[in-house]
């Protein structure tokens, strides 16, 4: 599944290629891909004529911000890909949603296994919210703002506000095993199996160790390692093991630079 570096790579590509483009029309070929609004025909109606203002990322989702304030979320999941196709490019049988742009290009959402989801939401609520003690809020069954989609996600590990002190604070009282905690999207957002393994190895910490046993020095090491492996992944345009490709349909180069992930039984790069 694409993790933070892979999704960030796609978002940065799309920012350079489709920001400012107008969506003339859209075609939904697999209706379950659209999570909101329903039916899929309403999703298409609400997108016609919209202009893309910018493209970003939150957690493991691409965020396509429209110029009227609405936001389209694209969760790539197992086999999803957002690919910009030039005019005349042959059709893709695995394209589940096709956005036709005013300049003749197509933005295609390709998903072989059909696990990905796309939603169109009102803007707002993406900034971190203050926690109110003992406040009871009646939850809505359907989130209506894009911020509600990510309401239970933890902080972004590459944000300037995600300091080692804040990381230490979030670890307090956590008895979960380290890898389990790093995979928990409500703890921090964006990491998965690949980068959790790499960060723990780089920090010299066992993945089954309880989080509340770390010393302050170990917390700082892990904080540095998480940010370092994620930045490396972005610099190398993601890790391609099976289905991940960037917005041009090209594979990333980070798989060749991983130290432990999918290297079971092979010599350790640190000690042999």
């Amino acid at each position: 599944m694409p993790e933070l570096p892979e999704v960030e790579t796609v978002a940065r590509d799309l920012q350079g290629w489709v920001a400012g483009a107008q969506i003339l029309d859209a075609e939904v070929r697999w209706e379950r891909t659209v999570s909101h609004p329903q039916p899929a025909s309403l999703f298409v109606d609400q997108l016609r004529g919209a202009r893309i203002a910018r493209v970003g990322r939150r957690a493991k989702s691409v965020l396509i911000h429209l110029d009227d304030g609405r936001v389209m979320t694209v969760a790539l999941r197992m086999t999803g890909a957002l690919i910009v196709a030039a005019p005349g490019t042959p059709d893709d049988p695995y394209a589940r949603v096709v956005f036709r742009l005013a300049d003749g290009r197509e933005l295609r959402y390709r998903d072989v296994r059909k696990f990905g989801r796309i939603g169109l939401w009102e803007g707002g609520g993406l900034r971190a919210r203050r926690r109110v003690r003992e406040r009871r809020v009646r939850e809505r069954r359907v989130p209506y703002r894009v911020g509600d989609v990510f309401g239970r996600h933890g902080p972004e590990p590459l944000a300037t506000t995600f300091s080692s002190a804040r990381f230490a604070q979030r670890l307090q009282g956590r008895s979960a095993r380290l890898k389990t905690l790093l995979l928990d999207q409500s703890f921090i957002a964006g990491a998965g199996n690949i980068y959790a393994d790499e960060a723990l190895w780089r920090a010299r910490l066992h993945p089954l160790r309880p989080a509340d046993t770390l010393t302050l020095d170990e917390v700082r090491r892990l904080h540095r390692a998480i940010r370092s492996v994620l930045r490396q992944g972005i610099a190398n345009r993601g890790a391609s093991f099976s289905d991940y490709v960037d917005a041009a349909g090209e594979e990333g180069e980070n798989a060749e630079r991983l130290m432990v992930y999918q290297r079971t039984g092979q010599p350790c790069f640190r000690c042999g």
Side-chain angles (χ1 to χ4, degrees), residues 5 9 12 229-238 253-254 257:
T9 298
R12 292 184 182 187
V229 298
L230 292 174
R231 286 176 176 142
Q232 173 188 296
I234 295 171
N236 294 322
R237 300 187 60 77
E253 300 177 353
N254 202 47
R257 294 166 173 81

Side-chain angles (χ1 to χ4, degrees), residues 28 31 33 50 53 61 64 70-71 76 96 105 113 125 129 134 136 147 153 156 164 166 170 221 226 234 237 244:
V28 177
E31 293 202 359
T33 297
S61 293
I64 300 177
R70 294 177 299 160
V71 182
L76 302 177
R96 308 305 178 188
R105 295 178 299 164
R113 299 185 66 182
R129 292 170 289 184
E134 300 298 329
R136 296 181 180 179
H153 281 67
E156 289 287 332
S164 61
R166 185 181 182 191
R170 294 186 67 79
R221 284 208 321 256
I226 292 169
I234 295 171
R237 300 187 60 77
Y244 164 71

Side-chain angles (χ1 to χ4, degrees), residues 3-267:
E3 302 178 28
L4 186 155
E6 289 74 41
V7 180
E8 180 70 21
T9 298
V10 172
R12 292 184 182 187
D13 285 350
L14 293 179
Q15 169 63 22
W17 296 343
V18 302
Q22 185 178 25
I23 301 173
L24 285 186
D25 201 2
E27 179 185 357
V28 177
R29 298 176 178 176
W30 180 256
E31 293 202 359
R32 293 183 187 177
T33 297
V34 177
S35 60
H36 185 271
Q38 285 288 337
S41 58
L42 180 59
F43 170 81
V44 172
D45 288 343
Q46 292 186 3
L47 267 181
R48 286 194 184 101
R51 189 173 297 277
I52 299 172
R54 60 186 177 89
V55 183
R57 177 195 57 78
R58 174 70 169 111
K60 298 179 184 179
S61 293
V62 175
L63 304 186
I64 300 177
H65 297 260
L66 305 179
D67 63 356
D68 60 6
R70 294 177 299 160
V71 182
M72 183 162 55
T73 59
V74 184
L76 302 177
R77 296 191 178 164
M78 293 294 293
T79 60
L82 280 167
I83 298 176
V84 179
T89 302
D91 194 19
D92 184 344
Y94 296 111
R96 308 305 178 188
V97 182
V98 177
F99 304 94
R100 296 188 175 91
L101 307 181
D103 59 10
R105 295 178 299 164
E106 291 181 345
L107 176 58
R108 298 173 177 175
Y109 177 69
R110 185 181 199 273
D111 190 1
V112 175
R113 299 185 66 182
K114 304 176 181 177
F115 291 150
R117 293 294 179 265
I118 299 177
L120 181 61
W121 317 90
E122 294 299 320
L126 279 171
R127 292 186 178 181
R129 292 170 289 184
R130 295 180 181 177
R131 291 186 176 180
V132 181
R133 188 176 300 175
E134 300 298 329
R135 180 183 178 186
R136 296 181 180 179
V137 179
R138 183 180 178 183
E139 294 186 359
R140 295 173 294 190
R141 290 186 178 180
V142 179
Y144 291 102
R145 298 192 309 167
V146 66
D148 297 325
V149 178
F150 302 100
R152 296 186 178 182
H153 281 67
E156 289 287 332
L158 293 182
T160 55
T161 56
F162 189 69
S163 63
S164 61
R166 185 181 182 191
F167 185 49
Q169 186 179 39
R170 294 186 67 79
L171 283 168
Q172 287 180 359
R174 298 274 194 156
S175 60
R177 294 172 175 179
L178 285 175
K179 182 172 179 182
T180 300
L181 195 57
L182 294 183
L183 297 180
D184 183 352
Q185 297 300 291
S186 68
F187 179 68
I188 57 172
N193 277 308
I194 297 174
Y195 298 98
D197 284 352
E198 295 296 306
L200 288 166
W201 183 83
R202 188 170 295 196
R204 298 173 182 253
L205 294 170
H206 197 286
L208 301 184
R209 181 157 166 198
D212 57 5
T213 66
L214 297 187
T215 66
L216 183 57
D217 179 64
E218 289 172 329
V219 170
R220 289 170 177 163
R221 284 208 321 256
L222 182 55
H223 176 264
R224 287 195 300 269
I226 292 169
R227 290 163 68 91
S228 177
V229 298
L230 292 174
R231 286 176 176 142
Q232 173 188 296
I234 295 171
N236 294 322
R237 300 187 60 77
S240 296
F241 285 100
S242 55
D243 296 282
Y244 164 71
V245 292
D246 62 21
E250 301 293 333
E251 294 184 350
E253 300 177 353
N254 202 47
E256 303 169 2
R257 294 166 173 81
L258 299 178
M259 298 290 104
V260 287
Y261 184 75
Q262 289 198 355
R263 297 194 67 251
T264 302
Q266 299 181 45

